[in-house]
């Protein structure tokens, strides 16, 4: 098999703040593991906005579109007033709209599944689950209004007629946000969740909703969930209340396997999952769709820590592990995950783990562990495998 056929192109976007430092510390693991990857570096984030009023420059889009996967560090977003104020003078007053690069990536590539595995980094295997968040609709569909638009008044009047009065403070003194869920949007995220379960050896998918309060929309989502579940007879599909799931995730995380939820519930539960895992310093994420995939740590740019070489790079390593699994290198992904766990249990720790080691030192320790784990297998050539073990070489 020629090298040309197995080489993968990765678009590397360090972004802002600690994103740059954790990327710098973790990226050398690809070379240390001798992986046949070509890296394309691109700009993204707040510095691009400040320079050209565009958080994702055209050249960056070109790179993203040409590559097999995108790896993002972190980006900075700021409130509306600052987005205008920090533009260069010649770009001010043009009504330029700031859209977070993360949102742009998800929307333009239609990356509907946000996947956040929660693993026990202590190595004790007390829990292993994943939160799969729908990325494109739900309460974050963009139907969010800082006043009540005229179009909603008939609905509020109808509600009033049913005995649920609206406190009439005027359209300017109330807001409204709409939870949009479509049959096709639900079907694809549920199918993704059940497929994920069968690929990763889980026997249950928990759909998180609020059926007793959001009665009508939840009756609809339930119908779609149950019909998708029928296609996966070996996997149990259950529906649970979001508040109860939050409680159990903290108290009995071992109860969960694949957890799937609409955008806002999934957003909250996936950060809760990061907490269960040991904090933002460890939590990885991947975003998947038919047009591509991008990977980023759950944490943001942590401006207070930026440039101090103190952020924990573990989340970036775990994110790289997700990317390796996606690209057909599950063995190397396991080395990286196991190395993060080993170092987390050692005395080489960043401040968030009660230590005083730097980002670079923890990064070097993790890479050192990876290399020793991989050493035994280095006699064999590096051939990508699918998550199920069949080699891509055979498919080619
Ligand atoms: P953040 O995740 O950047 O930081 C919150 C706190 O968590 C930090 O102050 C720090 O104490 C801790 N922390 C985060 N990552 C850490 C690491 N690797 N090691 C050790 N400690 C870590 O969230 P915050 O402060 O709400 O947002 C800061 C900026 O990041 C904002 O501009 C926000 O818009 C952006 N952001 C970007 C995200 C992304 O790139 N996807 C996600 C979340 C926030
Ligand atoms: Mg979040």
């Amino acid at each position: 098999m020629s090298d040309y056929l197995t080489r993968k192109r990765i678009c590397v976007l360090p972004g802002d703040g600690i994103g740059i430092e954790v990327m710098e510390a973790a990226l050398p693991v690809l070379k240390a593991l001798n992986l046949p990857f070509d890296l394309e570096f691109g700009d993204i984030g707040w510095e691009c906005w400040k320079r050209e009023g565009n958080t994702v420059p055209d050249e960056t889009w070109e790179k993203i579109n040409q590559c097999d996967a995108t790896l993002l560090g972190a980006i900075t977003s700021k409130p509306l007033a600052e987005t205008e104020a920090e533009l260069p003078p010649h770009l001010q007053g043009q009504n330029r709209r700031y859209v977070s690069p993360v949102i742009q990536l998800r929307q333009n590539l239609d990356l509907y599944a946000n996947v956040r595995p929660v693993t026990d980094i202590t190595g004790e295997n007390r829990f292993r689950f994943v939160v799969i968040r729908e990325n494109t609709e739900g309460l974050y569909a963009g139907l969010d209004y800082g006043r009540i638009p005229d179009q909603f008044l008939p609905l509020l009047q109808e509600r009033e007629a049913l005995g649920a009065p609206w406190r009439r403070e005027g359209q300017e003194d109330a807001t409204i946000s709409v939870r949009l869920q479509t049959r096709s949007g639900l079907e694809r995220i549920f199918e993704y969740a059940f497929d994920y379960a069968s690929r990763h050896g889980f026997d249950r998918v928990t759909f998180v909703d609020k059926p007793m309060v959001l009665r009508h929309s939840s009756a609809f989502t339930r119908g779609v969930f149950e019909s998708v579940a029928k296609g996966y007879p070996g996997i149990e599909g259950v529906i649970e209340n979001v508040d109860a799931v939050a409680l159990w995730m903290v108290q009995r995380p071992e109860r969960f396997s694949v957890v799937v939820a609409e955008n806002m519930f999934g957003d909250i539960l996936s950060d809760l999952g990061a907490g269960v895992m040991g904090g933002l310093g460890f939590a990885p994420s991947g975003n998947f769709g038919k047009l591509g995939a991008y990977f980023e740590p759950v944490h943001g740019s942590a401006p207070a820590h930026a440039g101090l070489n103190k952020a924990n790079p573990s989340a970036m390593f775990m994110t790289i592990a997700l990317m390796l699994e996606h690209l057909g290198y599950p063995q190397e992904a396991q080395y990286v995950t196991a190395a993060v766990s080993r170092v987390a249990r050692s005395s080489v720790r960043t401040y968030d783990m009660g230590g005083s080691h730097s980002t670079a030192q923890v990064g070097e320790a993790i890479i050192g562990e990876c290399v020793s784990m991989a050493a035994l297998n280095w006699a064999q050539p590096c051939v990508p495998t699918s998550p199920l073990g069949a080699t891509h070489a055979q498919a080619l």
Side-chain angles (χ1 to χ4, degrees):
M1 181 176 35
S2 87
D3 195 37
Y4 169 75
L5 290 174
T6 54
R7 291 197 81 77
K8 300 279 186 203
R9 293 177 76 183
I10 320 280
C11 179
V12 179
L13 308 173
D16 299 311
I18 63 164
I20 300 167
E21 293 151 60
V22 295
M23 185 72 87
E24 207 171 277
L27 209 54
V29 76
L30 299 178
K31 193 148 188 229
L33 286 173
N34 219 7
L35 289 159
F37 293 168
D38 296 313
L39 307 181
E40 293 278 351
F41 287 81
D43 291 335
I44 197 165
W46 192 252
E47 292 306 315
C48 300
W49 174 257
K50 274 168 57 179
R51 196 173 62 227
E52 52 193 276
N54 183 4
T55 53
V56 191
D58 292 346
E59 314 86 75
T60 300
W61 276 121
E62 271 169 40
K63 289 178 182 165
I64 291 170
N65 290 328
Q66 285 163 6
C67 285
D68 297 293
T70 294
L71 186 63
L72 176 65
I75 52 91
T76 295
S77 288
K78 295 193 183 181
L80 202 58
E82 286 162 66
T83 58
E84 179 70 12
E86 292 198 29
L87 278 175
H90 71 280
L91 295 178
Q92 289 187 9
Q94 298 176 0
N95 275 336
R96 277 182 182 260
R97 197 167 146 255
Y98 176 90
V99 183
S100 152
V102 172
I103 306 285
Q104 289 194 48
L105 280 168
R106 290 176 189 168
Q107 283 180 349
N108 291 6
L109 301 176
D110 196 24
L111 304 177
Y112 58 91
N114 181 303
V115 177
R116 299 206 192 164
V118 180
T119 45
D120 186 358
I121 48 144
T122 66
E124 290 173 32
N125 282 328
R126 291 166 304 165
F127 50 80
R128 178 176 82 102
F129 63 95
V130 62
V131 180
I132 299 180
R133 160 188 172 191
E134 204 291 326
N135 246 348
T136 62
E137 47 183 42
L139 197 68
Y140 297 168
L143 297 168
D144 177 59
Y145 305 91
R147 64 186 290 281
I148 306 282
D150 293 346
Q151 298 90 317
F152 284 95
L153 290 176
L155 289 176
L156 288 164
Q157 280 150 11
E158 193 182 303
R159 186 173 168 274
E160 205 157 41
L162 290 172
W166 171 46
R167 289 211 311 279
R168 292 184 165 280
E169 300 181 26
Q171 284 167 258
E172 302 301 329
D173 293 314
T175 68
I176 201 157
S177 310
V178 177
R179 183 168 90 140
L180 174 75
Q181 295 180 103
T182 63
R183 185 178 298 281
S184 59
L186 289 165
E187 276 169 356
R188 67 181 183 174
I189 195 72
F190 293 151
E191 279 163 10
Y192 189 95
F194 279 94
D195 284 341
Y196 186 99
S198 72
R199 280 202 315 274
H200 291 83
F202 289 114
D203 59 6
R204 185 160 19 100
V205 172
T206 305
F207 170 41
V208 180
D209 208 359
K210 190 69 186 177
M212 299 310 163
V213 176
L214 301 169
R215 299 180 83 87
H216 301 284
S217 59
S218 294
F220 177 80
T221 57
R222 178 191 179 131
V224 181
F225 182 71
E226 287 176 348
S227 102
V228 171
K230 280 198 187 107
Y232 299 84
I235 302 171
E236 185 192 8
V238 295
I239 301 179
E240 293 193 1
N241 279 298
V242 61
D243 44 350
V245 169
L247 174 80
W248 289 118
M249 215 175 250
V250 172
Q251 293 207 319
R252 295 210 19 226
E254 73 284 358
R255 264 181 104 248
F256 296 101
S257 21
V258 174
V259 175
V260 61
E262 65 89 21
N263 218 334
M264 185 183 76
F265 290 162
D267 184 21
I268 297 167
L269 290 178
S270 51
D271 272 27
L272 185 53
V276 170
M277 210 173 157
L280 284 172
F282 290 94
S285 81
N287 292 269
F288 302 90
K290 300 237 164 6
L291 300 177
Y294 92 87
F295 300 83
E296 61 170 339
V298 170
H299 65 72
S301 61
H305 302 301
L308 301 177
N309 194 20
K310 64 185 279 206
N312 190 343
S314 299
M316 183 47 109
F317 278 98
M318 298 293 275
T319 301
I320 288 176
L322 274 189
M323 184 181 75
L324 293 180
E325 194 189 317
H326 174 71
L327 293 175
Y329 292 91
Q331 179 69 75
E332 285 74 7
Q334 266 177 18
Y335 294 150
V336 177
T337 313
V340 167
S341 168
R342 280 194 193 176
V343 172
R345 282 176 282 149
S346 77
S347 57
V348 183
R349 295 173 166 207
T350 41
Y351 83 95
D352 56 316
M353 295 286 291
S356 58
H357 288 84
S358 69
T359 308
Q361 285 168 327
V362 171
E364 280 158 21
I366 294 172
I367 293 173
E369 290 288 349
C370 284
V371 169
S372 12
M373 276 185 265
L376 284 174
N377 291 342
W378 271 7
Q380 285 139 37
C382 199
V383 177
T385 57
S386 79
L388 296 176
T391 65
H392 285 178
Q394 285 158 358
L396 293 166

